């Protein structure tokens, strides 16, 4: 799987996951083109990406493609805090 195909698939997975977990009374839905990539990398046959959506829900997503096994792993996280420390 090349990098663009991987990113396109990631955006679909994140949009589907987000839409399946939104409160239906909010009357919102995300489409794949609204999902954005924060970071991505490809090493040999493997890919990894961190993604998010424009929703203010504090969620971000990590998607990994294992090229040896032809498997995708999907992790969903919620950001609770961002603390600055002066050094």
């Amino acid at each position: 799987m090349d990098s663009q195909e991987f990113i396109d698939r990631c955006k679909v997975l994140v949009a589907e996951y987000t839409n399946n977990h939104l409160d239906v009374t909010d009357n919102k839905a995300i489409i794949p083109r609204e999902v954005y990539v924060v970071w991505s990398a490809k090493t040999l046959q493997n890919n990894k990406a961190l993604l998010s959506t424009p929703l203010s829900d504090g969620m971000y997503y990590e998607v990994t493609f294992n090229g040896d096994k032809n498997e995708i792993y999907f992790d969903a996280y919620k950001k609770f805090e961002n603390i600055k420390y002066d050094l």
Side-chain angles (χ1 to χ4, degrees):
M1 176 179 315
D2 70 25
S3 294
Q4 189 58 53
E5 182 183 355
F6 172 69
I7 293 299
D8 292 342
R9 183 159 305 175
C10 289
K11 289 182 175 187
V12 168
L13 291 172
V14 170
E16 287 175 352
Y17 179 90
T18 301
N19 290 332
N20 287 333
H21 289 83
L22 286 173
D23 187 332
V24 294
T25 62
D26 288 339
N27 294 321
K28 291 184 182 180
I30 294 294
I31 58 175
R33 70 176 177 177
E34 294 176 299
V35 176
Y36 60 91
V37 177
V38 176
W39 174 88
S40 70
K42 178 172 176 59
T43 304
L44 300 174
Q45 70 279 8
N46 304 308
N47 286 282
K48 183 178 286 276
L50 300 177
L51 305 103
S52 192
T53 70
L55 297 175
S56 59
D57 57 2
M59 293 295 295
Y60 68 99
Y61 307 90
E62 178 181 318
V63 184
T64 305
F65 172 66
N66 181 335
D68 291 330
K69 295 183 178 182
N70 201 36
E71 296 175 336
I72 289 182
Y73 314 114
F74 183 95
D75 297 301
Y77 299 96
K78 184 156 184 120
K79 178 179 168 181
F80 288 103
E81 290 184 274
N82 183 335
I83 302 170
K84 180 185 95 167
Y85 294 95
D86 292 324
L87 303 177

